Amino acid sequence: MKNSIFLIVMLLASNVLFADDKKIRKASLTEATVYTNGVQLRSKVYYTAITGINEIIIEGVSGNIDPKTIQVSATGKVIILDSKYSLFYPKLTHEETADEVKKVRLQILKLKDSILYMSYDLNDIQDEINVYNQAKNILKSNGVMKSQGKVNDSIMLLKEALELYTKKMNQLNKILSELRKTKDKKKQADKKMNDRLNRLKNHLSSIGNQNPNNQPIPRITVTLSANASTSGNISFSYLASGAGWSPLYDIRSESSQGKIFMNYKAQVHQNTGLDWKKIKLNISTNNPYANKTKPELNPWYLSYIQHKKEYNNARIQKSNKNMYNLNSSPTEAAYNRGFYMEDMEEEPALSASQFTSVVQQLISAEFKIDLPYNIASNGQKHMVLVQNSELKTNFKYYSVPKMDQNVYLVAQMLKVDELQLIPSKANIFFDGSYIGETYIDPTNMNDTLHLSLGKDPNIQIKRRLLSSKCKEKVIGDKIEKSLAYTIEVKNLKSSTIELIIQDQLPITTDNDIEIDKINIGKAKRTERSGMIEWDIKLKPKESKTFDFDFRIKYDKSKRINI
């Protein structure tokens, strides 16, 4: 007897020792790294494990998860054997199922009764419509209305007949109109009831197979092996869609300090199905869904072009030996608009391995924000300040008097590439006042960003045509035209300024037009664009004048766009 009891105890102990233990845990979200498209979520959950194999079922997972990106780690004396993602469809209990079935069946019976009575109403309305339509037909077919009989001999009879016809027809039309409106409303109600009945029938057939809301629960199941009872934390991360951020910049300039500050802000939105409550938030310029594949060059084969007509002729001339009789060598017919010729042992076909690309990770910036954030899963944008930077800036004045006889203050912000910016709009504030917006595109600029801060009325500039030096004469079949301009600038400020004045000379791609005798003084000239530029310094109250002139020769029988 004692041996039997001992044996039973040992069997029970062994069953406990080697049985799988499944526990459901609710994970808490701790950190989110938001990319321009997508987000990496990090969560943790506390677990307890007994000796043997343990399955920890984790809920609180986003339904937008990318299962192949799941990464799991754990503390405690356990070995992580496996992790997998699944959707769980909760089932109703037996009691809940019985109550739900009874409730739905009662609704179906009531709805069927309502549909039946609705059909009676529709039939009654249709009968009334038929009666009134018949009355209209009788009225229309009456002999008096058809000018039959003696009615034409009496104006009074004709008048009374018309009044009766008009009155009765109007009454009948109004009654029919109201009946048709009532019929349409009841038909719409009947359709809604039938749709509702179909939904209830479908719901009745699905009761017991899924939860009432038909919403699956995302789960991550982690399998652990433990040599002894232990506990610890499971940390896991994964990539999810339904989140992202877009940049927004505020550029603020203070003239008294001579400095420019940039506020780098992120408009974060998320609809992952999980509310982010007091989490660590990171902003990354990376896009995990963007192509990370470095392109590879494959051999560039040249060959003679064979048109489709020639190819069809070749098929007709195909011999019994399955060879094409073409007036070209096999090599020449090898690659002709994708048509493959069978006599091609010299050049083997390309294999898939030759198109295999090497994946290379792109460099990105990640901004860690040391503040807890709450962001609901509703898709609304939340403004997050990423960083506030003071930009190393040089201030210069620019003017293009040919287009605008004003002088503009321009800030040259240096080493902007170090800020890891991405293309977006920027709001500009000067001395606390909003003056407009610009667009920052780091992909189309070097490490210096030029930002126009507006006009300065204390610097005057004028550009005039010097008529006394402008001449035009005809020599042979050519017209020679000389043009001269002067630019006057004056500094009314109390400080020395640096000013760049830009103008241009004409350029041409027509060999019949000549531009010569160019005189631009000490200005710098860009041959390709015709740009000329003076880079000067002006002391307080100082004025300077710059002249330039040139000559144009062109065919006298033609006109040019000067």
Side-chain angles (χ1 to χ4, degrees), residues 265-283:
K265 298 185 289 187
Q267 298 180 100
V268 180
H269 61 90
Q270 71 101 353
N271 198 14
T272 60
L274 298 177
D275 290 335
W276 302 352
K277 297 180 180 179
K278 295 183 179 180
I279 63 166
K280 294 180 180 179
L281 187 64
N282 305 321
I283 304 296

Side-chain angles (χ1 to χ4, degrees), residues 236-332:
F236 62 97
S237 65
Y238 54 88
L239 187 67
S241 60
W245 70 281
S246 55
L248 183 64
Y249 309 112
D250 285 347
I251 299 175
R252 301 179 182 274
S253 175
E254 300 292 339
S255 59
S256 59
Q257 301 179 19
K259 296 178 180 179
I260 286 186
F261 301 89
M262 176 181 282
N263 292 338
Y264 191 167
K265 298 185 289 187
Q267 298 180 100
V268 180
H269 61 90
Q270 71 101 353
N271 198 14
T272 60
L274 298 177
D275 290 335
W276 302 352
K277 297 180 180 179
K278 295 183 179 180
I279 63 166
K280 294 180 180 179
L281 187 64
N282 305 321
I283 304 296
S284 175
T285 59
N286 186 26
N287 181 1
Y289 296 102
N291 180 29
K292 304 292 194 300
T293 304
K294 173 185 167 297
E296 297 286 346
L297 287 174
N298 292 295
W300 181 6
Y301 292 99
L302 293 180
S303 64
Y304 290 104
I305 297 175
Q306 175 181 315
H307 295 285
K308 190 171 182 181
K309 182 177 179 181
E310 296 172 351
Y311 173 65
N312 291 335
N313 292 336
R315 293 189 62 185
I316 295 172
Q317 297 172 9
K318 186 178 180 183
S319 66
N320 294 330
K321 293 182 180 180
N322 207 25
M323 299 286 288
Y324 289 99
N325 183 18
L326 297 174
N327 293 325
S328 61
S329 65
T331 304
E332 292 172 342

Side-chain angles (χ1 to χ4, degrees), residues 83 85 135 158 247 275 282 405 438-439:
S83 63
Y85 169 75
L158 180 61
D275 290 335
N282 305 321
Q405 297 197 34
T438 186
Y439 189 82

